[in-house]
Coordinates of all heavy atoms in Angstrom, one line a residue:
M1 N -0.7 45.4 20.3 CA -0.9 44.8 19.1 C 0.1 43.6 18.8 O -0.2 42.6 18.3 CB -0.8 45.8 18.0 CG -1.2 45.4 16.6 SD -3.0 45.1 16.7 CE -3.3 44.8 15.0
K2 N 1.4 43.8 19.3 CA 2.4 42.8 19.1 C 2.1 41.6 19.9 O 2.3 40.5 19.5 CB 3.8 43.4 19.5 CG 4.4 44.3 18.6 CD 5.8 44.7 19.0 CE 6.4 45.6 18.0 NZ 7.8 46.0 18.4
K3 N 1.5 41.8 21.1 CA 1.2 40.6 22.0 C 0.1 39.8 21.3 O 0.1 38.6 21.3 CB 0.7 41.1 23.3 CG 1.8 41.6 24.2 CD 1.2 42.0 25.6 CE 2.4 42.5 26.4 NZ 1.9 42.8 27.8
L4 N -0.9 40.5 20.7 CA -1.9 39.8 20.0 C -1.4 39.0 18.8 O -1.8 37.9 18.5 CB -3.0 40.8 19.5 CG -4.3 40.2 19.0 CD1 -5.0 39.4 20.0 CD2 -5.2 41.3 18.6
L5 N -0.5 39.6 18.1 CA 0.2 38.9 16.9 C 1.0 37.7 17.4 O 0.9 36.6 16.8 CB 1.1 39.8 16.1 CG 1.7 39.3 14.9 CD1 0.7 38.8 13.9 CD2 2.6 40.3 14.3
K6 N 1.7 37.8 18.5 CA 2.5 36.7 19.1 C 1.5 35.6 19.5 O 1.8 34.4 19.2 CB 3.3 37.1 20.2 CG 4.5 37.9 19.9 CD 5.3 38.3 21.1 CE 6.5 39.2 20.8 NZ 7.3 39.5 22.0
L7 N 0.4 35.9 20.1 CA -0.5 34.9 20.6 C -1.1 34.2 19.4 O -1.3 33.0 19.4 CB -1.7 35.6 21.4 CG -2.7 34.7 21.9 CD1 -2.2 33.7 22.9 CD2 -3.9 35.5 22.5
A8 N -1.4 34.9 18.3 CA -2.0 34.3 17.1 C -1.0 33.3 16.5 O -1.4 32.2 16.0 CB -2.4 35.4 16.1
V9 N 0.3 33.7 16.4 CA 1.3 32.8 15.9 C 1.5 31.6 16.7 O 1.6 30.4 16.2 CB 2.7 33.6 15.7 CG1 3.8 32.6 15.4 CG2 2.5 34.6 14.7
I10 N 1.5 31.7 18.1 CA 1.6 30.6 19.0 C 0.4 29.6 18.8 O 0.6 28.4 18.7 CB 1.8 31.1 20.4 CG1 3.2 31.7 20.6 CG2 1.6 29.9 21.4 CD1 3.4 32.4 21.9
V11 N -0.8 30.2 18.8 CA -2.0 29.4 18.7 C -2.0 28.7 17.3 O -2.4 27.5 17.2 CB -3.3 30.2 18.9 CG1 -4.5 29.5 18.5 CG2 -3.4 30.7 20.3
G12 N -1.6 29.4 16.3 CA -1.5 28.7 15.0 C -0.5 27.6 14.9 O -0.7 26.6 14.3
G13 N 0.6 27.8 15.6 CA 1.7 26.8 15.6 C 1.2 25.5 16.4 O 1.4 24.4 16.0
V14 N 0.5 25.7 17.5 CA -0.1 24.6 18.3 C -1.1 23.9 17.5 O -1.2 22.6 17.4 CB -0.6 25.1 19.6 CG1 -1.4 24.0 20.3 CG2 0.5 25.6 20.5
A15 N -2.0 24.6 16.8 CA -3.0 24.0 15.9 C -2.4 23.2 14.8 O -2.8 22.1 14.5 CB -4.0 25.0 15.4
F16 N -1.4 23.7 14.2 CA -0.7 23.0 13.1 C 0.0 21.7 13.6 O -0.1 20.7 13.0 CB 0.4 23.9 12.5 CG 1.1 23.3 11.4 CD1 0.6 23.0 10.1 CD2 2.5 22.9 11.6 CE1 1.3 22.4 9.1 CE2 3.2 22.3 10.6 CZ 2.6 22.0 9.3
A17 N 0.7 21.8 14.8 CA 1.3 20.6 15.3 C 0.3 19.6 15.7 O 0.5 18.4 15.5 CB 2.1 21.0 16.6
S18 N -0.8 20.0 16.2 CA -1.9 19.1 16.6 C -2.5 18.4 15.4 O -2.7 17.2 15.4 CB -3.0 19.8 17.3 OG -4.1 19.0 17.6
K19 N -2.6 19.1 14.3 CA -3.2 18.5 13.1 C -2.2 17.5 12.5 O -2.6 16.5 12.0 CB -3.5 19.7 12.1 CG -4.3 19.3 10.9 CD -4.7 20.5 10.1 CE -5.8 20.1 9.1 NZ -6.2 21.3 8.3
M20 N -0.9 17.9 12.5 CA 0.1 17.0 12.0 C 0.2 15.7 12.8 O 0.3 14.6 12.2 CB 1.5 17.7 11.9 CG 1.6 18.8 10.9 SD 1.4 18.2 9.2 CE 2.8 17.2 9.0
A21 N 0.1 15.8 14.1 CA 0.1 14.6 15.0 C -1.0 13.7 14.8 O -0.9 12.5 14.7 CB 0.2 15.1 16.5
S22 N -2.2 14.3 14.6 CA -3.4 13.4 14.3 C -3.3 12.8 12.9 O -3.8 11.7 12.8 CB -4.7 14.3 14.5 OG -4.7 15.2 13.5
A23 N -2.7 13.5 12.0 CA -2.5 12.9 10.6 C -1.6 11.7 10.7 O -1.8 10.7 10.1 CB -2.0 13.9 9.7
K24 N -0.5 11.8 11.5 CA 0.5 10.7 11.6 C -0.2 9.6 12.3 O 0.1 8.4 12.0 CB 1.7 11.2 12.4 CG 2.6 12.0 11.5 CD 3.2 11.2 10.4 CE 4.2 12.1 9.6 NZ 4.8 11.3 8.5
K25 N -1.0 9.8 13.3 CA -1.6 8.8 14.1 C -2.6 8.0 13.2 O -2.7 6.8 13.2 CB -2.4 9.4 15.3 CG -3.0 8.3 16.2 CD -3.7 9.0 17.3 CE -4.4 7.9 18.2 NZ -5.0 8.5 19.4
A26 N -3.3 8.8 12.4 CA -4.3 8.1 11.4 C -3.6 7.3 10.4 O -4.1 6.3 9.9 CB -5.1 9.2 10.8
E27 N -2.3 7.7 10.1 CA -1.6 6.9 9.1 C -1.2 5.5 9.6 O -1.2 4.6 8.8 CB -0.3 7.7 8.8 CG 0.6 7.1 7.8 CD 1.9 8.0 7.6 OE1 1.8 9.2 7.7 OE2 2.9 7.4 7.3
W28 N -1.0 5.4 10.9 CA -0.6 4.1 11.5 C -1.8 3.3 12.1 O -1.7 2.1 12.3 CB 0.4 4.3 12.6 CG 1.7 4.8 12.1 CD1 2.1 6.0 11.9 CD2 2.8 3.9 11.8 NE1 3.4 6.1 11.4 CE2 3.8 4.8 11.3 CE3 3.0 2.6 11.8 CZ2 5.1 4.3 10.9 CZ3 4.2 2.1 11.3 CH2 5.2 2.9 10.9
Q29 N -2.9 4.0 12.3 CA -4.1 3.4 12.9 C -4.7 2.3 12.0 O -4.9 2.5 10.8 CB -5.2 4.5 13.1 CG -6.4 4.0 13.9 CD -6.1 3.8 15.4 OE1 -5.3 4.6 15.9 NE2 -6.7 2.9 16.0
G30 N -4.9 1.1 12.5 CA -5.6 0.1 11.8 C -4.7 -0.8 11.0 O -5.1 -1.8 10.4
L31 N -3.4 -0.5 10.9 CA -2.5 -1.4 10.2 C -2.3 -2.7 11.0 O -2.5 -2.8 12.2 CB -1.1 -0.8 10.1 CG -0.9 0.4 9.2 CD1 0.5 1.0 9.3 CD2 -1.3 0.1 7.8
T32 N -2.0 -3.8 10.3 CA -1.7 -5.0 11.0 C -0.3 -5.0 11.4 O 0.5 -4.1 11.0 CB -2.0 -6.2 10.0 OG1 -1.1 -6.1 8.9 CG2 -3.4 -6.3 9.5
E33 N 0.1 -5.9 12.3 CA 1.4 -6.0 12.8 C 2.4 -6.1 11.7 O 3.5 -5.5 11.6 CB 1.6 -7.1 13.8 CG 2.9 -7.1 14.5 CD 3.0 -8.2 15.5 OE1 2.0 -8.7 16.0 OE2 4.2 -8.5 15.9
S34 N 2.2 -7.0 10.7 CA 3.1 -7.2 9.6 C 3.2 -6.0 8.7 O 4.3 -5.7 8.3 CB 2.7 -8.5 8.8 OG 1.4 -8.3 8.3
Q35 N 2.1 -5.3 8.5 CA 2.2 -4.1 7.7 C 3.0 -3.0 8.4 O 3.8 -2.3 7.8 CB 0.8 -3.5 7.4 CG 0.0 -4.4 6.5 CD -1.5 -3.9 6.4 OE1 -2.0 -3.4 7.3 NE2 -2.1 -4.2 5.3
A36 N 2.8 -2.9 9.7 CA 3.6 -1.9 10.5 C 5.1 -2.2 10.5 O 5.9 -1.3 10.4 CB 3.1 -1.9 11.9
R37 N 5.4 -3.5 10.6 CA 6.8 -3.9 10.5 C 7.4 -3.6 9.2 O 8.5 -3.1 9.1 CB 6.9 -5.4 10.8 CG 6.7 -5.8 12.2 CD 6.9 -7.3 12.5 NE 6.7 -7.6 13.9 CZ 7.6 -7.4 14.8 NH1 8.8 -7.0 14.5 NH2 7.4 -7.7 16.1
E38 N 6.7 -3.8 8.1 CA 7.2 -3.5 6.7 C 7.4 -2.0 6.6 O 8.4 -1.5 6.0 CB 6.2 -4.0 5.7 CG 6.1 -5.5 5.5 CD 5.0 -5.9 4.6 OE1 4.5 -5.1 3.9 OE2 4.8 -7.1 4.5
K39 N 6.4 -1.2 7.1 CA 6.5 0.2 7.0 C 7.7 0.8 7.8 O 8.4 1.6 7.3 CB 5.2 0.9 7.5 CG 5.1 2.3 7.2 CD 3.7 2.7 7.6 CE 3.4 4.1 7.1 NZ 2.1 4.6 7.2
L40 N 7.9 0.2 9.0 CA 9.1 0.6 9.8 C 10.4 0.2 9.1 O 11.3 1.0 9.2 CB 9.0 0.0 11.2 CG 8.0 0.7 12.2 CD1 7.8 -0.2 13.4 CD2 8.5 2.0 12.6
D41 N 10.4 -1.0 8.6 CA 11.6 -1.5 8.0 C 12.0 -0.6 6.8 O 13.2 -0.3 6.6 CB 11.4 -2.9 7.5 CG 12.7 -3.6 7.0 OD1 13.7 -3.4 7.7 OD2 12.7 -4.3 6.0
A42 N 11.0 -0.1 6.1 CA 11.3 0.8 4.9 C 11.8 2.2 5.4 O 12.6 2.9 4.7 CB 10.1 1.0 4.1
R43 N 11.4 2.6 6.6 CA 11.8 4.0 7.1 C 13.2 4.0 7.8 O 13.8 5.0 7.9 CB 10.7 4.5 8.1 CG 9.5 4.9 7.4 CD 8.5 5.5 8.4 NE 7.4 6.1 7.7 CZ 6.8 7.1 8.1 NH1 7.1 7.7 9.2 NH2 5.8 7.6 7.4
L44 N 13.6 2.8 8.3 CA 14.9 2.8 9.0 C 16.0 2.9 8.0 O 15.9 2.3 6.9 CB 15.0 1.6 9.9 CG 14.0 1.5 11.1 CD1 14.1 0.2 11.8 CD2 14.3 2.6 12.1
P45 N 17.1 3.5 8.4 CA 18.3 3.6 7.5 C 18.9 2.2 7.2 O 18.9 1.3 8.0 CB 19.3 4.4 8.3 CG 18.8 4.6 9.7 CD 17.4 4.1 9.7
G46 N 19.3 2.1 5.9 CA 19.8 0.8 5.5 C 21.1 0.4 6.1 O 21.4 -0.8 6.2
E47 N 21.9 1.3 6.6 CA 23.2 1.0 7.2 C 23.1 0.5 8.6 O 24.1 0.2 9.2 CB 24.2 2.2 7.0 CG 23.8 3.4 7.7 CD 23.0 4.3 6.8 OE1 22.8 4.1 5.6 OE2 22.5 5.4 7.3
M48 N 21.9 0.5 9.2 CA 21.7 0.0 10.5 C 21.9 -1.5 10.6 O 21.3 -2.2 9.7 CB 20.3 0.4 11.0 CG 20.0 0.0 12.4 SD 18.3 0.4 12.9 CE 18.5 2.1 13.3
P49 N 22.6 -2.0 11.5 CA 22.8 -3.5 11.6 C 21.4 -4.2 11.8 O 20.5 -3.7 12.4 CB 23.6 -3.7 12.9 CG 24.3 -2.4 13.1 CD 23.3 -1.3 12.6
A50 N 21.3 -5.4 11.3 CA 20.0 -6.1 11.3 C 19.5 -6.4 12.7 O 18.3 -6.3 12.9 CB 20.2 -7.5 10.5
D51 N 20.4 -6.7 13.6 CA 19.9 -7.0 15.0 C 19.3 -5.8 15.6 O 18.3 -5.9 16.3 CB 21.0 -7.7 15.8 CG 22.3 -6.8 15.9 OD1 22.5 -6.0 15.0 OD2 23.0 -7.0 16.9
K52 N 20.0 -4.7 15.5 CA 19.5 -3.4 16.0 C 18.2 -3.0 15.3 O 17.2 -2.5 16.0 CB 20.5 -2.3 15.9 CG 21.7 -2.5 16.7 CD 22.0 -1.3 17.5 CE 23.3 -1.5 18.2 NZ 23.2 -1.1 19.6
R53 N 18.1 -3.3 14.1 CA 16.9 -2.9 13.3 C 15.7 -3.7 13.8 O 14.7 -3.1 14.0 CB 17.2 -3.3 11.8 CG 16.2 -2.9 10.8 CD 16.7 -3.3 9.4 NE 16.0 -2.6 8.4 CZ 16.5 -1.5 7.9 NH1 17.6 -1.0 8.2 NH2 15.8 -0.9 6.9
E54 N 15.9 -5.0 14.0 CA 14.8 -5.8 14.6 C 14.4 -5.4 16.0 O 13.3 -5.4 16.3 CB 15.2 -7.3 14.5 CG 15.2 -7.9 13.2 CD 13.8 -7.9 12.5 OE1 12.8 -8.1 13.2 OE2 13.7 -7.5 11.3
M55 N 15.4 -5.0 16.8 CA 15.1 -4.6 18.1 C 14.3 -3.3 18.1 O 13.3 -3.2 18.9 CB 16.5 -4.3 18.9 CG 16.3 -4.0 20.4 SD 17.8 -3.8 21.2 CE 18.5 -2.3 20.5
V56 N 14.6 -2.4 17.3 CA 13.9 -1.1 17.2 C 12.4 -1.4 16.7 O 11.5 -0.9 17.3 CB 14.6 -0.1 16.2 CG1 13.7 1.1 15.9 CG2 15.9 0.4 16.9
I57 N 12.3 -2.2 15.7 CA 11.0 -2.6 15.1 C 10.1 -3.2 16.2 O 9.0 -2.9 16.3 CB 11.1 -3.4 13.8 CG1 11.7 -2.6 12.7 CG2 9.8 -4.0 13.5 CD1 12.0 -3.3 11.5
D58 N 10.7 -4.2 16.9 CA 10.0 -4.9 18.0 C 9.5 -3.9 19.1 O 8.3 -4.0 19.5 CB 10.9 -6.0 18.6 CG 11.1 -7.2 17.7 OD1 10.3 -7.3 16.8 OD2 12.1 -7.9 18.0
K59 N 10.3 -3.0 19.5 CA 9.9 -2.0 20.5 C 8.8 -1.1 20.0 O 7.8 -0.9 20.7 CB 11.1 -1.2 20.9 CG 12.1 -1.9 21.8 CD 13.1 -0.9 22.3 CE 14.1 -1.7 23.2 NZ 15.1 -0.8 23.7
V60 N 8.9 -0.6 18.8 CA 7.9 0.3 18.2 C 6.6 -0.5 18.1 O 5.5 0.0 18.4 CB 8.3 0.9 16.9 CG1 7.2 1.7 16.3 CG2 9.5 1.8 17.2
V61 N 6.6 -1.7 17.5 CA 5.4 -2.5 17.3 C 4.7 -2.8 18.6 O 3.5 -2.8 18.7 CB 5.7 -3.7 16.4 CG1 4.5 -4.7 16.4 CG2 6.0 -3.3 15.0
S62 N 5.5 -3.2 19.6 CA 4.9 -3.5 20.9 C 4.3 -2.3 21.5 O 3.2 -2.4 22.1 CB 6.0 -4.1 21.8 OG 6.9 -3.2 22.2
G63 N 4.9 -1.1 21.3 CA 4.2 0.1 21.8 C 2.9 0.4 21.1 O 2.0 0.8 21.7
L64 N 2.9 0.2 19.8 CA 1.7 0.4 19.1 C 0.6 -0.6 19.5 O -0.6 -0.3 19.5 CB 2.0 0.3 17.6 CG 2.8 1.5 17.0 CD1 3.2 1.1 15.5 CD2 2.1 2.8 17.1
L65 N 1.0 -1.8 19.7 CA 0.0 -2.8 20.2 C -0.5 -2.5 21.5 O -1.7 -2.7 21.8 CB 0.7 -4.2 20.2 CG 0.9 -4.9 18.8 CD1 1.8 -6.2 19.0 CD2 -0.4 -5.2 18.2
D66 N 0.3 -2.0 22.4 CA -0.1 -1.6 23.8 C -1.1 -0.5 23.7 O -2.0 -0.5 24.5 CB 1.1 -1.2 24.6 CG 2.0 -2.4 25.0 OD1 1.5 -3.6 24.9 OD2 3.1 -2.1 25.5
R67 N -1.0 0.4 22.8 CA -1.9 1.5 22.7 C -3.2 1.1 21.9 O -4.1 1.9 21.8 CB -1.2 2.7 21.9 CG -0.2 3.3 22.7 CD 0.3 4.6 22.0 NE 1.7 4.8 22.3 CZ 2.6 5.4 21.5 NH1 2.2 5.8 20.3 NH2 3.8 5.6 21.9
G68 N -3.2 -0.1 21.3 CA -4.3 -0.5 20.6 C -4.5 0.1 19.2 O -5.5 0.2 18.6
M69 N -3.3 0.5 18.6 CA -3.4 1.2 17.3 C -3.3 0.2 16.2 O -3.7 0.5 15.1 CB -2.2 2.2 17.2 CG -2.4 3.4 18.1 SD -1.1 4.6 17.9 CE -1.4 5.2 16.2
L70 N -2.8 -1.0 16.4 CA -2.7 -2.0 15.3 C -3.8 -3.0 15.4 O -4.3 -3.3 16.5 CB -1.4 -2.7 15.4 CG -0.1 -1.8 15.3 CD1 1.1 -2.7 15.4 CD2 -0.1 -1.1 14.0
S71 N -4.3 -3.4 14.3 CA -5.3 -4.5 14.2 C -4.6 -5.9 14.2 O -3.4 -5.9 13.9 CB -6.2 -4.3 13.0 OG -5.5 -4.5 11.8
E72 N -5.3 -6.9 14.5 CA -4.7 -8.2 14.6 C -4.4 -8.8 13.2 O -5.1 -8.5 12.3 CB -5.7 -9.2 15.3 CG -5.9 -8.8 16.8 CD -4.7 -9.0 17.6 OE1 -4.0 -10.0 17.4 OE2 -4.5 -8.2 18.5
D73 N -3.3 -9.5 13.1 CA -3.0 -10.2 11.9 C -3.9 -11.4 11.7 O -4.2 -12.1 12.7 CB -1.5 -10.7 11.9 CG -0.5 -9.7 11.5 OD1 -0.9 -8.8 10.7 OD2 0.6 -9.8 11.9
S74 N -4.4 -11.6 10.6 CA -5.3 -12.7 10.4 C -4.5 -13.9 10.0 O -3.9 -14.0 8.9 CB -6.4 -12.5 9.3 OG -5.7 -12.2 8.1
T75 N -4.3 -14.9 10.9 CA -3.5 -16.0 10.7 C -4.3 -17.2 10.2 O -3.8 -18.1 9.7 CB -2.7 -16.4 12.0 OG1 -3.7 -16.7 13.0 CG2 -1.8 -15.4 12.4
E76 N -5.6 -17.1 10.4 CA -6.5 -18.2 9.9 C -6.8 -18.0 8.4 O -7.0 -16.9 8.0 CB -7.8 -18.2 10.7 CG -7.6 -18.3 12.1 CD -8.9 -18.2 12.9 OE1 -10.0 -18.1 12.2 OE2 -8.9 -18.1 14.1
P77 N -6.7 -19.0 7.6 CA -7.0 -18.9 6.2 C -8.5 -18.6 6.0 O -9.3 -19.1 6.7 CB -6.6 -20.2 5.6 CG -6.7 -21.2 6.7 CD -6.3 -20.4 8.0
T78 N -8.7 -17.7 5.1 CA -10.1 -17.3 4.9 C -10.8 -18.2 3.9 O -10.2 -18.6 2.9 CB -10.2 -15.8 4.4 OG1 -9.5 -15.7 3.2 CG2 -9.7 -14.8 5.4
E79 N -12.0 -18.7 4.2 CA -12.7 -19.6 3.4 C -13.7 -18.8 2.5 O -14.3 -17.9 3.1 CB -13.4 -20.7 4.2 CG -12.5 -21.5 5.0 CD -13.2 -22.6 5.8 OE1 -14.4 -22.8 5.6 OE2 -12.6 -23.2 6.6
P80 N -13.9 -19.2 1.3 CA -14.9 -18.4 0.5 C -16.3 -18.7 1.0 O -16.6 -19.9 1.4 CB -14.7 -19.0 -0.9 CG -14.0 -20.3 -0.7 CD -13.2 -20.2 0.5
E81 N -17.1 -17.7 1.1 CA -18.4 -17.8 1.6 C -19.3 -18.4 0.6 O -19.2 -18.0 -0.6 CB -18.9 -16.5 2.1 CG -18.2 -16.0 3.4 CD -18.9 -14.8 3.9 OE1 -20.1 -14.6 3.7 OE2 -18.2 -14.1 4.7
V82 N -20.2 -19.3 1.0 CA -21.2 -19.9 0.0 C -22.5 -19.1 0.2 O -23.0 -18.9 1.3 CB -21.4 -21.4 0.4 CG1 -22.5 -22.0 -0.6 CG2 -20.1 -22.1 0.3
S83 N -23.0 -18.6 -0.9 CA -24.2 -17.8 -0.9 C -25.4 -18.7 -0.7 O -25.4 -19.9 -1.1 CB -24.4 -17.0 -2.1 OG -24.5 -17.8 -3.3
A84 N -26.5 -18.2 -0.1 CA -27.7 -19.0 0.2 C -28.5 -19.2 -1.1 O -29.3 -20.2 -1.2 CB -28.5 -18.3 1.2
T85 N -28.2 -18.5 -2.1 CA -29.0 -18.6 -3.4 C -28.1 -19.3 -4.4 O -28.1 -19.0 -5.6 CB -29.4 -17.3 -3.9 OG1 -28.2 -16.5 -4.1 CG2 -30.4 -16.6 -2.9
S86 N -27.4 -20.3 -4.0 CA -26.5 -21.1 -4.9 C -27.4 -21.9 -5.9 O -28.4 -22.4 -5.6 CB -25.6 -22.0 -4.1 OG -24.9 -22.8 -4.9
T87 N -26.9 -21.9 -7.1 CA -27.6 -22.7 -8.2 C -27.1 -24.1 -8.2 O -27.7 -24.9 -9.0 CB -27.3 -22.0 -9.5 OG1 -25.9 -22.0 -9.8 CG2 -27.9 -20.6 -9.5
A88 N -26.2 -24.5 -7.4 CA -25.7 -25.9 -7.4 C -26.8 -26.8 -6.8 O -27.5 -26.4 -5.9 CB -24.4 -26.0 -6.6
D89 N -26.9 -28.0 -7.4 CA -27.9 -29.0 -6.9 C -27.4 -29.7 -5.7 O -26.3 -30.4 -5.8 CB -28.2 -29.9 -8.1 CG -29.5 -30.8 -7.8 OD1 -30.3 -30.4 -6.9 OD2 -29.7 -31.8 -8.5
P90 N -28.1 -29.6 -4.5 CA -27.5 -30.3 -3.3 C -27.6 -31.8 -3.4 O -27.0 -32.5 -2.6 CB -28.4 -29.7 -2.2 CG -29.7 -29.3 -2.8 CD -29.3 -28.9 -4.2
A91 N -28.3 -32.4 -4.3 CA -28.5 -33.9 -4.3 C -27.4 -34.6 -5.0 O -26.5 -34.3 -5.6 CB -29.8 -34.2 -4.9

């Protein structure tokens, strides 16, 4: 009976860890590079020197980009779309 209880606890622990890991992954999935940088900057300790801070952020962001977890930053300005049913007179 003790072995069965130990097995249940181990399986429960693995399931919990897996669920937490997937939740953290979903938290970062789809962020843009600038959003990820802001989020990392907020999480790093304030007493860390600025050069080390940037180095850590660059490494983490490059790793996330390599895995395809971040979406591209839109650097092109977005133009408002013109609807086909515009009431403006073309003449």
